Amino acid sequence: MFCVNTLYKRKKIIIISSIFIGQIILFSVLFSFQAVNNFIINYINFPISKLISNISNVVILPFGEFFYAFIGIIFLTFLTLILKSIFINRKNLIKRIYQFLVFLNVIYFIYMLSWGVMYKKETLSFDKSKLVIETKVLKEIYCSDLEKAIEVRKLISENDSMTTVKFTSNLDDYNKEFLKLQYQLKNEKWLKNYHFLKNPHYKLSFISSIQNHLGILGYYNPFTVEANLNKFNTDLKQPSTLFHEYGHQMGFASESEANFLAYYLGTYSQNPDVRYSIYYKSIFSLLRAIYRSDPYFVKMELDNMYPQITIDRKAEINHYSKYDGKSSEVFSELNNQFLKANNDEGTISYSNYIQLVYYLYQTKKAKPN
C-alpha cells in the first residue's frame, strides 16, 4: 500500500513538472507569432489590466507590495516545509514538493499573460536593422537637447552643489501632465500595441528606503498594474521616473521603450520641471553614447558644461552616493540578467533608447515644415 501511494505521489510530481515545462514550451511557441501576441495583448491583457487598475487605484497604498509580501511568505513557507521534510520527517516530502510546483505553475502562468507577453510583442513598426547611427547626428541631438535644458534650467530656482535642485511642482502636477501628454503618441504611426491610461495613478513605495540602497527609482507591478515610486527620489528624478513607470503601464515593456516614452512626452510638457528632468537625463545618456566614438568631445563638454547643470549633477551624485554599496551592485546585476532573459537589453546598456531618440530626431528632421 505504501509503495502504491508513493508511486502515485511521484507520478503527480512528474505530471505537474511536465505541465510547468509544457507552459514554457507553449508560451515560447505562442509568443513567436505576432498575431497571437496582438490578440492576447489587445483582447486579454489590456482589458484585464484596466479592470485591475480600477480596483487597485481605489486604495492609495501600494497594494502590490502586500501581494509581493504574500507571495514571499508562501515561498518561504514552502521552503521551510520542504527542508523540514528533508531533515526531520520525509513522509510529507513528495506532497510538499508537489504543492510548491502547483504554486510555481500558477505564478508563472499569471506572470506570462500579464507581463511576459509584453516583451514579445512588436511595439515599433520600423526596421531598426537599417538604422545607422552616426556620431555627428548624435552630437546634433545632444546640442539641441542641451540648449533646451539650459533654457528651461534658467526658469528653476538656484541651488548649491550640496543641495539637490528643488522644484515647485509635485507628483500630482506631473500626473496631470502625463494624462494630457500621452495622446501625443497618436502622431507617431510607428509606435503600436499600447493603450492610453484613463486614470494614471502612482503609489509611493513602502520600501523606499530599501530601494535607495538597491538603486531603484521606481518599479512597475504587472500583477496589480501599479506604478510605484521611491518617495526619497530627488526632485530632479521624479518626473522622468513617473513618466517611465507609466510607460510600462501603457504597455511599453522594455526599459528602453519606457525611457523613450518618458523622453518623447516630456519634451512636449509645458511644465519646466518636467522638461528639465527629461532633458537632464537625455543629455547625459547621449554623452554616454557619444563617448564610445569620441571620448574627447565628452570630456570637453563635461569640463565646459553650463554651470547650473554641473552643480545639479554634483548634487545628484552626492545624494545617491550615500546609498551605493554591494547590495546595489548585486541587485543591478540580477535585474540586468532578468531583463536579458526577457529579450530586453538590460540595465547596463540603453543603446536601444538612443536608437529610438535618434530615429525620432531623424523622422522630425525629414518632415517638411
Side-chain angles (χ1 to χ4, degrees):
M1 186 68 178
F2 173 76
C3 292
V4 173
N5 286 336
T6 302
L7 288 173
Y8 173 71
K9 291 176 180 177
R10 288 179 177 175
K11 185 177 179 180
K12 287 174 67 177
I13 288 182
I14 293 172
I15 291 172
I16 199 68
S17 299
S18 299
I19 290 174
F20 184 71
I21 295 171
Q23 277 199 76
I24 296 174
I25 296 172
L26 177 63
F27 283 126
S28 296
V29 172
L30 284 178
F31 294 167
S32 65
F33 298 100
Q34 281 305 313
V36 175
N37 291 344
N38 292 342
F39 178 83
I40 293 174
I41 290 164
N42 291 293
Y43 295 99
I44 298 177
N45 186 289
F46 286 161
I48 292 177
S49 293
K50 289 176 182 177
L51 176 62
I52 294 175
S53 178
N54 289 335
I55 296 172
S56 62
N57 283 349
V58 172
V59 183
I60 61 172
L61 301 175
F63 179 71
E65 293 186 357
F66 291 105
F67 175 79
Y68 279 148
F70 178 68
I71 295 298
I73 291 170
I74 293 177
F75 179 83
L76 290 175
T77 300
F78 275 126
L79 183 62
T80 302
L81 291 173
I82 289 172
L83 290 174
K84 184 178 179 181
S85 297
I86 291 174
F87 295 106
I88 299 176
N89 181 10
R90 297 183 63 88
K91 182 179 178 181
N92 294 323
L93 178 59
I94 295 177
K95 178 182 177 181
R96 299 306 183 196
I97 293 175
Y98 172 77
Q99 291 172 338
F100 175 71
L101 289 173
V102 170
F103 166 74
L104 200 63
N105 265 281
V106 172
I107 294 298
Y108 181 77
F109 179 80
I110 294 173
Y111 170 78
M112 291 306 291
L113 284 183
S114 63
W115 196 235
V117 65
M118 306 301 282
Y119 284 101
K120 308 299 182 181
K121 69 180 173 62
E122 288 183 348
T123 308
L124 314 171
S125 59
F126 72 94
D127 187 358
K128 290 197 297 178
S129 64
K130 296 180 180 179
L131 185 65
V132 179
I133 294 182
E134 300 179 41
T135 302
K136 66 176 183 179
V137 179
L138 281 179
K139 291 177 181 177
E140 285 180 24
I141 303 171
Y142 163 75
C143 290
S144 174
D145 282 4
L146 176 61
E147 183 180 341
K148 293 169 184 173
I150 293 172
E151 180 184 341
V152 75
R153 181 61 180 86
K154 294 175 181 178
L155 304 175
I156 297 170
S157 302
E158 298 291 314
N159 67 300
D160 58 66
S161 60
M162 298 304 294
T163 306
T164 57
V165 63
K166 301 300 178 185
F167 290 162
T168 56
S169 307
N170 56 39
L171 284 168
D172 289 335
D173 295 324
Y174 310 145
N175 195 65
K176 292 174 183 176
E177 275 290 283
F178 186 91
L179 181 60
K180 295 183 298 183
L181 293 171
Q182 63 180 323
Y183 297 103
Q184 287 286 342
L185 292 179
K186 289 181 177 180
N187 299 326
E188 304 301 338
K189 303 303 180 184
W190 50 280
L191 292 172
K192 59 183 182 179
N193 284 330
Y194 62 88
H195 66 128
F196 295 115
L197 306 180
K198 290 186 177 180
N199 183 28
H201 196 77
Y202 64 88
K203 304 287 182 73
L204 295 176
S205 175
F206 280 140
I207 56 172
S208 292
S209 296
I210 297 173
Q211 288 183 42
N212 276 341
H213 291 283
L214 294 177
I216 302 173
L217 301 177
Y219 71 95
Y220 172 65
N221 188 321
F223 297 103
T224 55
V225 198
E226 291 175 307
N228 296 286
L229 298 180
N230 181 340
K231 63 184 176 182
F232 298 126
N233 284 343
T234 60
D235 284 10
L236 188 50
K237 291 288 194 300
Q238 285 294 43
S240 58
T241 301
L242 181 65
F243 278 32
H244 174 101
E245 301 309 332
Y246 281 161
H248 285 317
Q249 204 169 24
M250 291 179 72
F252 295 92
S254 80
E255 294 300 296
S256 294
E257 290 173 2
N259 275 338
F260 169 75
L261 178 82
Y263 171 83
Y264 178 86
L265 296 182
T267 58
Y268 283 99
S269 176
Q270 297 300 309
N271 185 316
D273 296 341
V274 173
R275 290 207 310 280
Y276 183 56
S277 176
I278 295 300
Y279 284 126
Y280 176 90
K281 182 175 181 177
S282 168
I283 59 176
F284 290 108
S285 296
L286 287 162
L287 283 176
R288 281 194 293 272
I290 294 169
Y291 184 83
R292 298 174 183 177
S293 57
D294 195 344
Y296 179 74
F297 174 87
V298 174
K299 182 180 184 307
M300 292 300 294
E301 285 299 308
L302 291 176
D303 289 344
N304 297 280
M305 182 64 68
Y306 180 68
Q308 284 307 124
I309 295 180
T310 298
I311 289 174
D312 293 340
R313 182 167 178 261
K314 287 180 179 178
E316 290 291 306
I317 292 172
N318 288 336
H319 176 83
Y320 286 103
S321 64
K322 295 183 293 186
Y323 307 105
D324 285 346
K326 287 294 180 183
S327 57
S328 178
E329 293 174 14
V330 170
F331 177 81
S332 180
E333 181 56 27
L334 288 173
N335 191 43
N336 182 54
Q337 295 304 320
F338 168 78
L339 293 172
K340 285 184 175 179
N342 286 285
N343 294 333
D344 204 349
E345 53 191 355
T347 55
I348 292 176
S349 171
Y350 283 131
S351 60
N352 192 40
Y353 162 69
I354 294 298
Q355 287 182 34
L356 293 173
V357 171
Y358 189 96
Y359 181 81
L360 177 67
Y361 178 80
Q362 294 288 59
T363 301
K364 287 184 175 180
K365 194 175 178 181
K367 287 181 179 179
N369 294 326

Short mmCIF file of all heavy atoms in Angstrom, two decimals, residues 176-211:
data_model
loop_
_atom_site.label_atom_id
_atom_site.label_comp_id
_atom_site.label_asym_id
_atom_site.label_seq_id
_atom_site.Cartn_x
_atom_site.Cartn_y
_atom_site.Cartn_z
N LYS A 176 -1.01 64.96 -13.80
CA LYS A 176 -1.94 65.68 -14.69
C LYS A 176 -1.30 65.94 -16.06
O LYS A 176 -1.96 65.87 -17.09
CB LYS A 176 -2.36 66.99 -14.05
CG LYS A 176 -3.23 66.82 -12.81
CD LYS A 176 -3.50 68.16 -12.13
CE LYS A 176 -4.30 67.97 -10.85
NZ LYS A 176 -4.49 69.25 -10.12
N GLU A 177 -0.01 66.24 -16.04
CA GLU A 177 0.72 66.47 -17.29
C GLU A 177 0.71 65.22 -18.15
O GLU A 177 0.46 65.27 -19.36
CB GLU A 177 2.17 66.87 -17.00
CG GLU A 177 2.39 68.33 -16.75
CD GLU A 177 2.21 69.17 -18.01
OE1 GLU A 177 3.10 69.20 -18.85
OE2 GLU A 177 1.14 69.80 -18.13
N PHE A 178 0.99 64.09 -17.54
CA PHE A 178 1.03 62.84 -18.29
C PHE A 178 -0.33 62.52 -18.89
O PHE A 178 -0.42 62.07 -20.04
CB PHE A 178 1.49 61.68 -17.41
CG PHE A 178 1.68 60.39 -18.16
CD1 PHE A 178 2.91 60.08 -18.70
CD2 PHE A 178 0.63 59.51 -18.37
CE1 PHE A 178 3.10 58.91 -19.42
CE2 PHE A 178 0.80 58.35 -19.09
CZ PHE A 178 2.03 58.04 -19.61
N LEU A 179 -1.38 62.73 -18.12
CA LEU A 179 -2.74 62.46 -18.59
C LEU A 179 -3.03 63.20 -19.89
O LEU A 179 -3.65 62.66 -20.81
CB LEU A 179 -3.76 62.85 -17.51
CG LEU A 179 -5.23 62.62 -17.84
CD1 LEU A 179 -5.50 61.15 -18.11
CD2 LEU A 179 -6.12 63.11 -16.70
N LYS A 180 -2.55 64.44 -20.00
CA LYS A 180 -2.75 65.22 -21.22
C LYS A 180 -1.78 64.83 -22.32
O LYS A 180 -2.16 64.70 -23.49
CB LYS A 180 -2.58 66.72 -20.90
CG LYS A 180 -3.61 67.31 -19.96
CD LYS A 180 -3.38 68.80 -19.78
CE LYS A 180 -2.03 69.08 -19.16
NZ LYS A 180 -1.83 70.54 -18.90
N LEU A 181 -0.52 64.64 -21.95
CA LEU A 181 0.54 64.47 -22.95
C LEU A 181 0.52 63.12 -23.65
O LEU A 181 1.00 63.00 -24.78
CB LEU A 181 1.91 64.66 -22.28
CG LEU A 181 2.23 66.07 -21.78
CD1 LEU A 181 3.51 66.05 -20.95
CD2 LEU A 181 2.38 67.02 -22.96
N GLN A 182 -0.02 62.08 -23.00
CA GLN A 182 0.05 60.73 -23.58
C GLN A 182 -0.56 60.66 -24.98
O GLN A 182 -0.13 59.86 -25.82
CB GLN A 182 -0.61 59.72 -22.66
CG GLN A 182 -2.09 59.95 -22.44
CD GLN A 182 -2.72 58.91 -21.52
OE1 GLN A 182 -2.38 57.72 -21.54
NE2 GLN A 182 -3.68 59.34 -20.69
N TYR A 183 -1.53 61.51 -25.27
CA TYR A 183 -2.20 61.45 -26.57
C TYR A 183 -1.34 62.00 -27.70
O TYR A 183 -1.72 61.89 -28.88
CB TYR A 183 -3.55 62.18 -26.48
CG TYR A 183 -4.48 61.51 -25.50
CD1 TYR A 183 -4.70 62.06 -24.24
CD2 TYR A 183 -5.11 60.31 -25.82
CE1 TYR A 183 -5.53 61.43 -23.31
CE2 TYR A 183 -5.95 59.68 -24.90
CZ TYR A 183 -6.15 60.23 -23.66
OH TYR A 183 -6.97 59.60 -22.74
N GLN A 184 -0.18 62.56 -27.36
CA GLN A 184 0.77 62.97 -28.39
C GLN A 184 1.25 61.77 -29.20
O GLN A 184 1.68 61.91 -30.35
CB GLN A 184 1.99 63.65 -27.75
CG GLN A 184 1.73 65.04 -27.21
CD GLN A 184 1.60 66.09 -28.32
OE1 GLN A 184 2.02 65.87 -29.45
NE2 GLN A 184 1.01 67.21 -27.98
N LEU A 185 1.17 60.58 -28.61
CA LEU A 185 1.63 59.37 -29.29
C LEU A 185 0.84 59.07 -30.55
O LEU A 185 1.31 58.35 -31.44
CB LEU A 185 1.56 58.16 -28.35
CG LEU A 185 2.53 58.16 -27.16
CD1 LEU A 185 2.32 56.92 -26.33
CD2 LEU A 185 3.98 58.23 -27.63
N LYS A 186 -0.36 59.61 -30.63
CA LYS A 186 -1.17 59.39 -31.83
C LYS A 186 -0.48 59.93 -33.08
O LYS A 186 -0.77 59.48 -34.20
CB LYS A 186 -2.54 60.08 -31.68
CG LYS A 186 -3.46 59.41 -30.68
CD LYS A 186 -4.80 60.15 -30.62
CE LYS A 186 -5.78 59.46 -29.66
NZ LYS A 186 -7.07 60.17 -29.60
N ASN A 187 0.44 60.86 -32.90
CA ASN A 187 1.14 61.46 -34.03
C ASN A 187 2.22 60.56 -34.61
O ASN A 187 2.71 60.81 -35.71
CB ASN A 187 1.78 62.79 -33.61
CG ASN A 187 0.76 63.81 -33.13
OD1 ASN A 187 -0.36 63.84 -33.65
ND2 ASN A 187 1.12 64.62 -32.17
N GLU A 188 2.61 59.52 -33.85
CA GLU A 188 3.68 58.64 -34.30
C GLU A 188 3.10 57.29 -34.72
O GLU A 188 2.79 56.45 -33.88
CB GLU A 188 4.72 58.46 -33.19
CG GLU A 188 5.30 59.76 -32.66
CD GLU A 188 5.99 60.59 -33.75
OE1 GLU A 188 6.40 60.02 -34.77
OE2 GLU A 188 6.13 61.81 -33.55
N LYS A 189 2.98 57.07 -35.99
CA LYS A 189 2.36 55.85 -36.51
C LYS A 189 3.27 54.63 -36.39
O LYS A 189 2.83 53.50 -36.60
CB LYS A 189 1.95 56.05 -37.98
CG LYS A 189 1.01 57.23 -38.21
CD LYS A 189 -0.25 57.12 -37.38
CE LYS A 189 -1.18 58.32 -37.62
NZ LYS A 189 -2.37 58.28 -36.74
N TRP A 190 4.54 54.84 -36.10
CA TRP A 190 5.49 53.72 -36.00
C TRP A 190 5.50 53.09 -34.60
O TRP A 190 6.23 52.15 -34.35
CB TRP A 190 6.90 54.16 -36.40
CG TRP A 190 7.39 55.42 -35.73
CD1 TRP A 190 7.08 56.70 -36.07
CD2 TRP A 190 8.26 55.50 -34.61
NE1 TRP A 190 7.72 57.59 -35.23
CE2 TRP A 190 8.46 56.88 -34.33
CE3 TRP A 190 8.91 54.57 -33.81
CZ2 TRP A 190 9.27 57.33 -33.29
CZ3 TRP A 190 9.72 55.02 -32.78
CH2 TRP A 190 9.89 56.38 -32.53
N LEU A 191 4.68 53.63 -33.69
CA LEU A 191 4.50 53.02 -32.37
C LEU A 191 3.15 52.32 -32.32
O LEU A 191 2.14 52.88 -32.73
CB LEU A 191 4.57 54.10 -31.28
CG LEU A 191 5.93 54.78 -31.08
CD1 LEU A 191 5.78 55.94 -30.12
CD2 LEU A 191 6.95 53.79 -30.55
N LYS A 192 3.12 51.10 -31.82
CA LYS A 192 1.86 50.34 -31.80
C LYS A 192 1.81 49.42 -30.59
O LYS A 192 2.78 49.27 -29.84
CB LYS A 192 1.71 49.53 -33.08
CG LYS A 192 2.85 48.53 -33.33
CD LYS A 192 2.66 47.81 -34.65
CE LYS A 192 3.77 46.79 -34.88
NZ LYS A 192 3.60 46.05 -36.15
N ASN A 193 0.65 48.79 -30.42
CA ASN A 193 0.42 47.83 -29.33
C ASN A 193 0.63 48.44 -27.94
O ASN A 193 1.36 47.91 -27.10
CB ASN A 193 1.29 46.58 -29.51
CG ASN A 193 0.76 45.66 -30.58
OD1 ASN A 193 -0.44 45.59 -30.82
ND2 ASN A 193 1.66 44.95 -31.26
N TYR A 194 -0.02 49.56 -27.71
CA TYR A 194 -0.04 50.17 -26.39
C TYR A 194 -1.45 50.70 -26.17
O TYR A 194 -2.28 50.70 -27.09
CB TYR A 194 0.98 51.31 -26.30
CG TYR A 194 0.72 52.45 -27.25
CD1 TYR A 194 -0.11 53.51 -26.90
CD2 TYR A 194 1.30 52.47 -28.52
CE1 TYR A 194 -0.37 54.55 -27.78
CE2 TYR A 194 1.06 53.50 -29.41
CZ TYR A 194 0.22 54.54 -29.03
OH TYR A 194 -0.02 55.57 -29.91
N HIS A 195 -1.76 51.11 -24.97
CA HIS A 195 -3.08 51.70 -24.72
C HIS A 195 -2.93 52.93 -23.83
O HIS A 195 -1.98 53.05 -23.06
CB HIS A 195 -4.02 50.66 -24.08
CG HIS A 195 -3.62 50.23 -22.70
ND1 HIS A 195 -4.48 50.25 -21.63
CD2 HIS A 195 -2.44 49.77 -22.21
CE1 HIS A 195 -3.87 49.82 -20.55
NE2 HIS A 195 -2.64 49.52 -20.86
N PHE A 196 -3.87 53.84 -23.97
CA PHE A 196 -3.84 55.07 -23.18
C PHE A 196 -4.42 54.82 -21.79
O PHE A 196 -5.28 53.95 -21.61
CB PHE A 196 -4.62 56.18 -23.89
CG PHE A 196 -4.00 56.60 -25.19
CD1 PHE A 196 -4.66 56.38 -26.39
CD2 PHE A 196 -2.76 57.22 -25.21
CE1 PHE A 196 -4.09 56.75 -27.60
CE2 PHE A 196 -2.18 57.60 -26.40
CZ PHE A 196 -2.84 57.38 -27.60
N LEU A 197 -3.96 55.59 -20.83
CA LEU A 197 -4.40 55.45 -19.44
C LEU A 197 -5.49 56.48 -19.15
O LEU A 197 -5.26 57.68 -19.27
CB LEU A 197 -3.21 55.64 -18.49
CG LEU A 197 -1.98 54.77 -18.74
CD1 LEU A 197 -0.90 55.07 -17.71
CD2 LEU A 197 -2.34 53.28 -18.72
N LYS A 198 -6.65 56.01 -18.76
CA LYS A 198 -7.75 56.92 -18.45
C LYS A 198 -7.56 57.56 -17.08
O LYS A 198 -8.01 58.67 -16.83
CB LYS A 198 -9.08 56.17 -18.50
CG LYS A 198 -9.50 55.77 -19.92
CD LYS A 198 -10.90 55.17 -19.92
CE LYS A 198 -11.34 54.83 -21.34
NZ LYS A 198 -12.72 54.24 -21.36
N ASN A 199 -6.91 56.83 -16.19
CA ASN A 199 -6.72 57.34 -14.84
C ASN A 199 -5.34 56.97 -14.33
O ASN A 199 -5.20 56.11 -13.45
CB ASN A 199 -7.80 56.79 -13.91
CG ASN A 199 -7.70 57.35 -12.51
OD1 ASN A 199 -7.22 58.45 -12.29
ND2 ASN A 199 -8.14 56.56 -11.53
N PRO A 200 -4.28 57.59 -14.88
CA PRO A 200 -2.93 57.26 -14.41
C PRO A 200 -2.80 57.54 -12.92
O PRO A 200 -3.26 58.58 -12.44
CB PRO A 200 -2.02 58.18 -15.24
CG PRO A 200 -2.90 59.28 -15.71
CD PRO A 200 -4.26 58.67 -15.88
N HIS A 201 -2.23 56.62 -12.22
CA HIS A 201 -2.18 56.74 -10.76
C HIS A 201 -0.87 56.16 -10.26
O HIS A 201 -0.47 55.07 -10.66
CB HIS A 201 -3.36 56.00 -10.14
CG HIS A 201 -3.62 56.36 -8.72
ND1 HIS A 201 -4.25 57.54 -8.35
CD2 HIS A 201 -3.33 55.73 -7.57
CE1 HIS A 201 -4.36 57.60 -7.03
NE2 HIS A 201 -3.79 56.51 -6.54
N TYR A 202 -0.20 56.88 -9.38
CA TYR A 202 1.07 56.41 -8.83
C TYR A 202 0.90 56.03 -7.36
O TYR A 202 -0.03 56.47 -6.69
CB TYR A 202 2.15 57.50 -8.97
CG TYR A 202 1.86 58.74 -8.16
CD1 TYR A 202 2.27 58.85 -6.83
CD2 TYR A 202 1.17 59.81 -8.73
CE1 TYR A 202 1.98 59.99 -6.09
CE2 TYR A 202 0.89 60.95 -8.00
CZ TYR A 202 1.30 61.04 -6.68
OH TYR A 202 1.01 62.16 -5.94
N LYS A 203 1.81 55.22 -6.88
CA LYS A 203 1.85 54.85 -5.47
C LYS A 203 3.26 55.12 -4.95
O LYS A 203 4.24 54.94 -5.68
CB LYS A 203 1.53 53.36 -5.28
CG LYS A 203 0.18 52.89 -5.86
CD LYS A 203 -0.98 53.38 -5.04
CE LYS A 203 -2.32 52.88 -5.58
NZ LYS A 203 -2.55 51.45 -5.32
N LEU A 204 3.37 55.54 -3.71
CA LEU A 204 4.66 55.73 -3.07
C LEU A 204 5.01 54.45 -2.30
O LEU A 204 4.25 54.01 -1.44
CB LEU A 204 4.63 56.93 -2.12
CG LEU A 204 4.41 58.29 -2.80
CD1 LEU A 204 4.29 59.41 -1.75
CD2 LEU A 204 5.54 58.60 -3.77
N SER A 205 6.14 53.87 -2.64
CA SER A 205 6.50 52.56 -2.12
C SER A 205 6.76 52.57 -0.62
O SER A 205 7.36 53.51 -0.08
CB SER A 205 7.74 52.05 -2.85
OG SER A 205 8.19 50.84 -2.29
N PHE A 206 6.33 51.49 0.06
CA PHE A 206 6.63 51.30 1.47
C PHE A 206 8.11 51.02 1.70
O PHE A 206 8.64 51.28 2.77
CB PHE A 206 5.82 50.10 2.03
CG PHE A 206 4.40 50.41 2.34
CD1 PHE A 206 3.40 49.50 2.05
CD2 PHE A 206 4.05 51.61 2.94
CE1 PHE A 206 2.07 49.78 2.36
CE2 PHE A 206 2.72 51.89 3.25
CZ PHE A 206 1.73 50.97 2.95
N ILE A 207 8.74 50.45 0.69
CA ILE A 207 10.14 50.02 0.84
C ILE A 207 11.10 50.99 0.15
O ILE A 207 12.13 50.58 -0.37
CB ILE A 207 10.33 48.59 0.30
CG1 ILE A 207 9.88 48.50 -1.17
CG2 ILE A 207 9.57 47.58 1.15
CD1 ILE A 207 10.21 47.16 -1.83
N SER A 208 10.76 52.27 0.17
CA SER A 208 11.59 53.27 -0.49
C SER A 208 13.01 53.31 0.07
O SER A 208 13.97 53.51 -0.68
CB SER A 208 10.95 54.65 -0.37
OG SER A 208 9.75 54.72 -1.11
N SER A 209 13.16 53.13 1.39
CA SER A 209 14.50 53.15 1.99
C SER A 209 15.35 52.01 1.44
O SER A 209 16.54 52.19 1.14
CB SER A 209 14.40 53.03 3.51
OG SER A 209 13.74 54.15 4.05
N ILE A 210 14.74 50.84 1.29
CA ILE A 210 15.46 49.69 0.72
C ILE A 210 15.79 49.96 -0.73
O ILE A 210 16.89 49.64 -1.20
CB ILE A 210 14.61 48.42 0.87
CG1 ILE A 210 14.38 48.08 2.34
CG2 ILE A 210 15.27 47.23 0.16
CD1 ILE A 210 13.42 46.94 2.57
N GLN A 211 14.85 50.57 -1.45
CA GLN A 211 15.08 50.88 -2.86
C GLN A 211 16.27 51.81 -3.04
O GLN A 211 17.02 51.67 -4.01
CB GLN A 211 13.82 51.51 -3.47
CG GLN A 211 12.68 50.54 -3.67
CD GLN A 211 11.49 51.19 -4.33
OE1 GLN A 211 11.63 51.97 -5.26
NE2 GLN A 211 10.30 50.88 -3.86
#
